[in-house]
Amino acid sequence: MEVVSRAGLDKQQRDVAAMFDGIAPRYDLTNAIISLGQARMWRHATVRAVDPQIGETVLDLAAGTGTSTAPFAEAGARVVACDLSIGMLGAGRRRRPDLAFVAGDALALPFADASFDAVTISFGLRNVPDASAALAEMLRVTKPGGRLVVCEFSTPAASVLRGPHNLYLRLVLPAMARATASSDDAYRYLVESIQHWPDQVALAHQIRAAGWGKVAYRNLSGGIAVLHRATRPV
């Protein structure tokens, strides 16, 4: 596991990385609880969207402890788990020593041009200070014709769901996080980042503007989470 220097990162990146370092030991358990069990379904949907093939190379960004990475390896792909948080990567390496963990900044990925058949990022694009620059960097490391899959929180598609969803974010999620996580600051940050994140259509436009083609999206859990898919033009 390589170590990325945080000296060149901006304050937001350093703060986010340190925050995730602190919650690494209980991160997967807390996510399962606060997502009301939906996290596993979202992971399965992401793997199906990436459609990893035997021998392909896949980059899993914001991989955390590698929970999202393991299914790609199990499908026969050569996969790299990349994250800015050393604490998350350390926890993942202890649990899954068979996986390749690399510390890296999504704005300056430590990989050569056109290295991967597919790049995916789940619930991590919100944490990057410049999402458009990160999407362009993902394009750089993807082979022509290669695939991008972004799974991210979003806006419920039906207006009737938005009120209950906001209530859950403001009241229920923080209470559950306090009961299960070592730091509820991280989950207050989670709520704020979701509330300020672009909706499905806006993110699709952002992906297209970064140079990706064939951009499409699919709502999960009524739009609480969304899968965006795209292809690097040949």
Side-chain angles (χ1 to χ4, degrees):
M1 181 177 67
E2 300 174 13
V3 176
V4 62
S5 171
R6 293 183 179 172
L9 304 178
D10 68 16
K11 184 178 185 301
Q12 179 183 341
Q13 288 175 296
R14 292 194 301 271
D15 289 348
V16 169
M19 177 182 68
F20 280 105
D21 287 347
I23 64 174
R26 297 178 65 84
Y27 177 77
D28 291 320
L29 172 63
T30 303
N31 270 5
I33 292 171
I34 66 174
S35 71
L36 305 179
Q38 295 293 290
R40 178 175 294 183
M41 182 273 285
W42 297 336
R43 281 197 300 274
H44 289 169
T46 301
V47 174
R48 289 195 300 271
V50 172
D51 189 24
Q53 302 297 307
I54 294 174
E56 284 191 328
T57 53
V58 176
L59 174 61
D60 185 22
L61 285 174
T65 63
T67 300
S68 61
T69 311
F72 301 116
E74 291 162 3
R78 296 189 297 271
V79 61
V80 176
C82 183
D83 201 288
L84 192 60
S85 167
I86 303 303
M88 294 288 255
L89 293 172
R93 187 68 180 86
R94 289 189 292 274
R95 297 176 194 174
R96 291 296 304 257
D98 55 309
L99 296 178
F101 288 90
V102 174
D105 177 5
L107 295 176
L109 292 171
F111 308 109
D113 295 356
S115 296
F116 297 95
D117 296 288
V119 176
T120 182
I121 181 168
S122 294
F123 307 109
L125 192 57
R126 286 173 299 104
N127 300 325
V128 182
D130 188 338
S132 293
L135 289 165
E137 184 70 348
M138 293 177 212
L139 184 76
R140 179 185 69 78
V141 302
T142 302
K143 297 176 183 179
R147 312 180 299 281
L148 170 72
V149 175
V150 178
C151 187
E152 190 53 89
F153 292 114
S154 195
T155 304
S159 58
V160 70
L161 295 177
R162 293 172 192 165
H165 182 243
N166 285 331
L167 187 65
Y168 174 79
L169 289 178
R170 289 189 295 106
L171 300 179
V172 181
L173 188 152
M176 295 174 72
R178 281 193 296 272
T180 59
S182 56
S183 169
D184 62 351
D185 288 344
Y187 293 92
R188 282 199 296 270
Y189 166 83
L190 171 64
V191 171
E192 292 171 1
S193 66
I194 293 172
Q195 291 174 328
H196 292 93
W197 186 244
D199 66 13
Q200 294 88 321
V201 174
L203 183 56
H205 287 316
Q206 197 169 5
I207 293 170
R208 192 174 293 109
W212 293 93
K214 299 181 181 178
V215 180
Y217 69 84
R218 179 166 71 90
N219 289 323
L220 304 176
S221 302
I224 292 172
V226 176
L227 276 177
H228 281 81
R229 290 175 287 181
T231 302
R232 176 174 174 174
V234 177

